[in-house]
Amino acid sequence: MKLVTSTGDLSLYAESMTECIKHFAGTKFRYINLEQSGSIPEFFSEDDNGWRRLADEWGNAAAQAGVRFVVSHAPCLHDPCLQVFENPNDETYRTNIRAIRRSIEICHLLGIDRIVVHACPHDSFTEADFYRYNTKFYREFFDLMEKYNITVMTENWDNTNTKFTTGAEMRRFLDHVNHPLLAACWDTAHSNIVTRRPLEGQYQHIKDLGDKLKGLHISDNFGDVHHHSWPFAGIINFDAIMQALLDVNYDGFFTFEASYTLLHSRNIPYHRKPWTHGDQTVTSLLDPPLHLKQKAVDLLYDIGKHILETYHCFEE
C-alpha cells in the first residue's frame, strides 16, 4: 500500500488551497488526498471558468511541490435537503449537486480516479427514507463516474442513529444501489466513536465491506468525540485494521485523515483560546508554527511506514 496524507494537514496554515499544496514541498509524503472544501465559491457558481482555473492552479502547485493527487474528498454537503422529496428541483439540492459534480470533474482533470462523497443521513430517517434519499443522491453522479471511470466512495458516519455506521449497513446499501463504481471508504476515527463501538470491532466492519472497500481514512482518537489524530495517540487497535485489510485483499491507498497532529487553535472540537495580558491579546504561542507542523507531517509518514512495514505491505 502507498501512504497518502490529506491537504487538511496544512490547510489552516494557508489562505488558499494552492498555498496549502505548496506547503507539502520537502515533506516525506508524495501522494496526496485533495480535500475539496464546500467553502470554495467556485463550486457553486454558475460560471464554469472558476473551478477549471482552480484545477489548473492545484495541478501546477502539486507539480511544484513534488506531490501527486491520487484520491479526493468532495465538498461535505451531507445534510439532506428534505424538501427535495416534494420538489425534485429544489434550489439548495441542485446547487449542492452541482458543487459535487464539479469536484468530480476536477478529479478527472487532475487524474484522480477515486473520490469520497458523503452519504446524507438524518436522525429522523427510517432505513427506507435513507435508501430513498441516498439512492437518488448518488444516481446524480453516475454519468460522470461512467464517463471518466471514477469510483465514488461513500463513508461511514459517526452517529449510530444515522443507520450508516457499520460495515454491514454500508454493504447492504451498496448492494441495493448496485453500481460497479460506487464503493466504500472506511473511516477508523468515525467508527471509534459510535455507541456500538464496544460491541462491533473494526475488523468485522471491514470484513463485512469486503470487495466494496476502495478507500480509507486513517486516524485515531479516544472514542469520545469527533477527533482525527495520528495512530498511537488514541485507543484504536491497528493490528485489527491491518489484518482486516489483508483478509479482504484491499487494493487502495493507506490514506491519513489525521490533521490533529499538532493542534491548531481552529481545530474542532477543541479550541485553544488567545490570552489577554492587560489590554493586549497575546498569540505568540497560540498555534504551532508551520515548520513544526511540517515536521509533524513527516512523523505521520514515519508512523504509517512503520504500520505498513510491520504487515509487509509498504509501497514507495
Side-chain angles (χ1 to χ4, degrees):
M1 272 178 262
K2 291 182 170 65
L3 283 172
V4 180
T5 200
S6 300
T7 51
D9 290 356
L10 300 175
S11 62
L12 295 178
Y13 292 84
E15 295 299 320
S16 68
M17 177 64 77
T18 302
E19 182 185 2
C20 171
I21 296 163
K22 291 179 179 179
H23 285 333
F24 284 95
T27 65
K28 293 183 178 181
F29 281 98
R30 290 295 170 264
Y31 305 107
I32 301 295
N33 170 30
L34 177 64
E35 295 186 355
Q36 302 189 61
S37 171
S39 65
I40 296 173
E42 286 85 351
F43 284 136
F44 301 94
S45 170
E46 294 185 2
D47 179 15
D48 279 343
N49 293 324
W51 63 267
R52 292 183 184 276
R53 174 184 53 79
L54 288 178
D56 288 339
E57 286 186 8
W58 298 345
N60 291 334
Q64 292 175 34
V67 297
R68 180 162 70 90
F69 300 122
V70 294
V71 67
S72 186
H73 198 308
C76 290
L77 302 171
H78 50 264
D79 292 329
C81 304
L82 300 181
Q83 55 272 26
V84 79
F85 284 144
E86 285 70 43
N87 177 17
N89 296 315
D90 177 77
E91 183 177 356
T92 300
Y93 178 81
R94 297 312 322 168
T95 300
N96 288 350
I97 294 299
R98 181 166 66 238
I100 296 171
R101 286 177 63 87
R102 286 177 172 174
S103 72
I104 296 172
E105 292 274 11
I106 286 177
C107 285
H108 167 64
L109 294 176
L110 295 176
I112 301 169
D113 64 4
R114 299 186 188 191
I115 181 172
V116 169
V117 177
H118 273 292
C120 303
H122 195 271
D123 285 354
S124 70
F125 276 177
T126 64
E127 185 173 75
D129 292 332
F130 181 91
Y131 276 49
R132 180 185 172 199
Y133 188 99
N134 286 282
T135 299
K136 171 182 174 59
F137 175 72
Y138 282 111
R139 283 176 176 166
E140 302 279 3
F141 316 117
F142 283 1
D143 60 328
L144 294 181
M145 294 157 61
E146 294 164 4
K147 180 179 180 180
Y148 300 131
N149 195 31
I150 290 176
T151 296
V152 164
M153 300 176 290
T154 189
E155 180 178 342
N156 57 306
W157 203 228
D158 55 10
N159 179 343
T160 303
N161 292 335
T162 64
K163 303 172 180 64
F164 208 62
T165 61
T166 72
E169 287 171 334
M170 295 177 73
R171 179 78 198 214
R172 285 196 298 271
F173 174 74
L174 291 169
D175 287 343
H176 167 78
V177 178
N178 192 29
H179 192 286
L181 292 173
L182 184 64
C185 173
W186 186 252
D187 188 301
T188 60
H190 290 178
S191 180
N192 198 48
I193 59 178
V194 300
T195 57
R196 279 178 275 185
R197 172 180 56 83
L199 301 177
E200 298 175 329
Q202 300 208 36
Y203 175 85
Q204 189 59 49
H205 292 315
I206 292 171
K207 284 279 288 180
D208 288 341
L209 285 171
D211 61 356
K212 293 293 186 181
L213 182 65
K214 297 298 178 183
L216 295 170
H217 285 165
I218 297 292
S219 59
D220 205 345
N221 59 35
F222 289 106
D224 50 355
V225 294
H226 192 96
H227 191 79
H228 291 265
S229 193
W230 40 19
F232 309 119
I235 61 173
I236 294 176
N237 188 308
F238 283 91
D239 283 310
I241 290 167
M242 289 306 303
Q243 189 59 58
L245 296 177
L246 294 177
D247 286 353
V248 301
N249 297 311
Y250 174 67
D251 66 352
F253 299 102
F254 197 81
T255 302
F256 283 115
E257 195 179 57
S259 59
Y260 299 6
T261 47
L262 296 181
L263 283 177
H264 192 279
S265 61
R266 287 191 284 155
N267 280 126
I268 59 171
Y270 308 112
H271 296 281
R272 187 181 303 114
K273 297 180 179 179
W275 178 61
T276 301
H277 183 231
D279 60 353
Q280 298 293 318
T281 300
V282 182
T283 60
S284 301
L285 297 177
L286 182 64
D287 296 309
L290 174 61
H291 74 275
L292 289 183
K293 184 66 174 182
Q294 289 169 321
K295 287 182 181 294
V297 169
D298 281 349
L299 180 55
L300 180 63
Y301 179 92
D302 291 339
I303 291 170
K305 184 175 181 180
H306 166 71
I307 291 171
L308 296 185
E309 285 187 335
T310 299
Y311 279 84
H312 311 292
C313 56
F314 173 73
E315 296 179 57
E316 292 285 356

